[in-house]
Amino acid sequence: MTAHATRHATQGHATHDHDRTGKTVDTEAESAPPADGERMRRWRMVLGADSAESTGCTLTGQDVAMDGALNALYGGGGGKKPGGRGGSGRSAGLGASAPSVARWLGDIRTYFPSSVVQVMQRDAIDRLGLSALLLEPEMLEAVEADVHLVGTLLSLNKAMPETTKETARAVVRKVVDDLEKRLESRTRATLTGALDRSARISRPRHRDIDWDRTIRANLKNYLTIPGTDGGPDTGTVVPERLIGYGRASQSVKKDVILCIDQSGSMAASVVYASVFGAVLASMRTLDTRLVVFDTAVVDLTDQLDDPVDVLFGTQLGGGTDINRALAYCQSKITRPADTVVVLISDLYEGGIRDEMLKRVAAMKASGVQFVTLLALSDEGAPAYDHEHAAALGALGAPAFACTPDLFPDIMAAAIEKRPLPIPDTETGS
């Protein structure tokens, strides 16, 4: 497995990345190259203790503690014996001791920045099988909370003892609150503008006239006015028909259905979609429904006032029946021309493929704006079913991965029935 941790030297704040074998590759950010001694020190930190003789460098002070923390995870002595930093004969490792893991978590938070800590925690869970230790409250209090940790906790939800659940909810709450602060303001502003523009009226007030559309609609009424006193001719457009957009009132303008695949690979997407669902549900001009599915379908709309409740109502893992989920969503559509359906899935269908595609085609034919997202996260598209993605693209619903920052723009375009701002990395078309 590839090691993803980033190494930060204690001097100069140089950064490093790991190559596909797990070894660290120097990608230092300094403009001037370091001195030979400093370069050897960094390579010694990159390669581990086995390189001490070849680099001629002996670590001292805090470097020793940093090296120990890295060696415990990437040195190959624990759990799955990863083949990254160092050789298989190294004896260091985290083992299965909760106290030793708790100390290690404290160490890495001391020596590394938060972004690196999150990556190292993720690697520890994946490489050394430490998921079970997260069921202990004292362990949860020691970790650096992020979206990936939330996904892991949700996957352990059923196995979580009552003594741990309160701590787990606190960890999830912190991540959700941080995400809401980051995403809510821009989402509300973007979608409010889109709702205003989508409510076009034929007799707008002056301040609500959409001049671009009004001019284009009245070009046939262009008149040439002869110039006076030998001056040049001028022209004007006579606006027989005004086109404008009304300000969004307190009444519901659009219906939004978020249909979320809760298979294990979609963990980060479930977290982000739940937060966005809560934000959309707080807007009075939107009627938002949130549906999660595997082989069963669960409607969590009544919990949208608290995304933490939504997240603990999901069950990551299991099979996938997209057709069944879309059938449920289709049954809830009452205003097709004013409805946006967002399917978030890697498209590995365990149900009836042809029926799934027929449902999408029927919804689009009725006027529904249908959006297909392979992922809603910062990590790009996961593994996905290319055949199904291509079939949806042929129906006019191209499947692509979407970052949380882009999601408000995607929704705004769907509400206004504009072409979606699909990223350059579009897939499935």
Side-chain angles (χ1 to χ4, degrees), residues 336-422:
D338 293 313
T339 299
V340 178
V341 174
V342 182
L343 172 64
I344 304 174
S345 173
D346 55 15
L347 301 179
Y348 285 111
E349 171 64 317
I352 307 172
R353 174 187 184 273
D354 290 342
E355 287 296 318
M356 174 190 76
L357 296 175
K358 286 179 181 178
R359 291 191 190 282
V360 175
M363 282 189 272
K364 286 186 63 64
S366 68
V368 170
Q369 297 298 301
F370 195 93
V371 179
T372 311
L373 301 181
L374 298 170
L376 177 56
S377 71
D378 290 308
E379 300 177 331
Y384 65 96
D385 190 305
H386 290 257
E387 183 179 347
H388 290 163
L392 287 170
L395 294 175
F400 57 95
C402 173
T403 65
D405 290 335
L406 181 61
F407 185 74
D409 297 323
I410 296 290
M411 290 301 300
I415 286 171
E416 295 182 63
K417 301 184 179 181
R418 295 186 283 106
L420 301 180
I422 299 175

Side-chain angles (χ1 to χ4, degrees), residues 200-239:
R200 297 173 193 167
I201 56 178
S202 58
R203 299 183 64 184
R205 291 173 295 181
H206 184 271
R207 66 177 181 176
D208 293 330
I209 295 174
D210 186 331
W211 288 108
D212 181 61
R213 288 192 175 93
T214 295
I215 290 172
R216 281 187 285 158
N218 289 279
L219 285 175
K220 63 182 179 180
N221 301 321
Y222 182 84
L223 296 178
T224 300
I225 302 175
T228 58
D229 300 328
D233 293 345
T234 58
T236 187
V237 172
V238 179

Side-chain angles (χ1 to χ4, degrees), residues 165-209:
K165 284 189 175 180
E166 195 62 34
T167 306
R169 286 185 72 89
V171 171
V172 174
R173 172 75 63 191
K174 179 180 183 302
V175 174
V176 166
D177 288 348
D178 289 345
L179 289 177
E180 282 192 300
K181 289 177 184 176
R182 168 189 159 193
L183 301 171
E184 181 175 15
S185 178
R186 180 169 178 271
T187 299
R188 292 180 67 90
T190 301
L191 297 191
T192 297
L195 288 163
D196 284 346
R197 290 187 294 272
S198 68
R200 297 173 193 167
I201 56 178
S202 58
R203 299 183 64 184
R205 291 173 295 181
H206 184 271
R207 66 177 181 176
D208 293 330
I209 295 174

Side-chain angles (χ1 to χ4, degrees), residues 94-105 130 133 136 138-139 142:
L94 297 177
S97 165
S100 68
V101 176
R103 284 194 299 271
W104 177 80
L105 287 168
L130 300 183
L133 292 179
E136 302 181 23
E138 62 271 20
M139 289 294 297

Side-chain angles (χ1 to χ4, degrees), residues 26-48:
D26 197 351
T27 57
E28 33 191 307
E30 295 176 315
S31 57
D36 287 347
E38 175 65 7
R39 183 180 293 278
M40 288 299 102
R41 168 185 166 274
R42 294 181 184 182
W43 275 113
R44 163 61 184 82
M45 292 287 288
V46 166
L47 300 174

